[in-house]
Amino acid sequence: MSATSYSAYWESPSNIALVKYWGKYGEQLPCNPSISFTLNQALSKTSVTATTKTNASTLEFDFEFEGQANAAFADKMRPFLQRLSEDMPWMLQYHLNIQSSNTFPHSSGIASSASAYSALALCFCSLHEQISGQALDMFFQTASHYARIGSGSACRSVYGGFNLWGTCNELPDSANEYAINIDDLVHPVFKHFQDTILIVERGKKSVSSTAGHALLKQHPFAEKRFNIAQQQTGQLLGILKSGDLAAFIQLVESEAYMLHAMMMTSSTPFMLMKPNTLAIIEKIIEHRNKTGLHVLFTLDAGANVHVLYPEAEKAAILPWIQSELVGYCQNELYFCNEVGKGPQSK
Ligand code: PMV
């Protein structure tokens, strides 16, 4: 009997959180809601080909990253695929060939797990539809649910624009299991917001986000943080609706400070910011105070700085970033992004 194969391809972006997810329970469920926007440039491009095989009882896959077999990534991915196969048992009847590449250097310190797991989850949802012959009821919501199991923040990457993950009082449709799109609730001033990512430090983080999340379990300020994040989520929803840039700056920067404050006050404290992270932050605040421009920063779980600003101020702000801030980057590396349209299948 000749082999049958099915293929799926998705390219999916990373996202940047404005209200941060930091702390989880159960099967990668968040201790507080978070809000992010999807980037337009930092993409994972992933294809999965499923070919029938004879031994139909075990998970069998090979993984190539940027054209090369990558055993370390394959090992990381295995528990995720194993978990997926519980809900998609057809996965055991096929040999799975997974190929992925990123539009940004893997070691640049840009969160690649969000783009990687959202692209993978989308591919498996597409294959599920092809192989079962049935359309999924809520395709992107289902993909968000599975992306979350791979990496929490990945669930916010399956849609374009602005997304919320985690139950919050303001939105009855919100859920801990998957993200929802909130673009309809966002003022035009935010629709094309810019994010210039300054690479202060390339390479692997000294403390992984998995280890960071785990430290919240014993953290003396955890409950307080989760309550504040709940409140800030409600406030940010109001700000995104009204277009109040001054309030946006205040809230988003406080979230970045608080995320790193939680790291520094863990029972095993750690600091991911570097001297150049602080130098950049100082410059941004000084420039904003001097010019009145709406330039602000946020941070991920790393030393890199995301410089955010409205599209209308790009002509004034981007040249200033290039002349005053890029010098603080490792090898002058930076990436220009803006709010993106979300994943695409071609
Ligand atoms: O998705 P994870 O487990 O890598 O956690 C990401 C956490 C932050 O990037 C720090 C914040 C967020 O909400 O994306």
Side-chain angles (χ1 to χ4, degrees), residues 179-193:
I180 59 171
N181 181 261
I182 55 166
D183 266 354
D184 287 352
L185 306 173
V186 173
H187 189 277
V189 75
F190 296 116
K191 293 276 176 176
H192 299 282
F193 229 71

Side-chain angles (χ1 to χ4, degrees), residues 17 19-22 34 113 151-154 156 209 213 259 300-301:
V19 173
K20 310 292 182 182
Y21 148 62
W22 199 238
S34 55
S113 62
S151 168
S153 56
R156 298 184 311 236
S209 55
H213 285 292
L259 171 69
D300 228 328

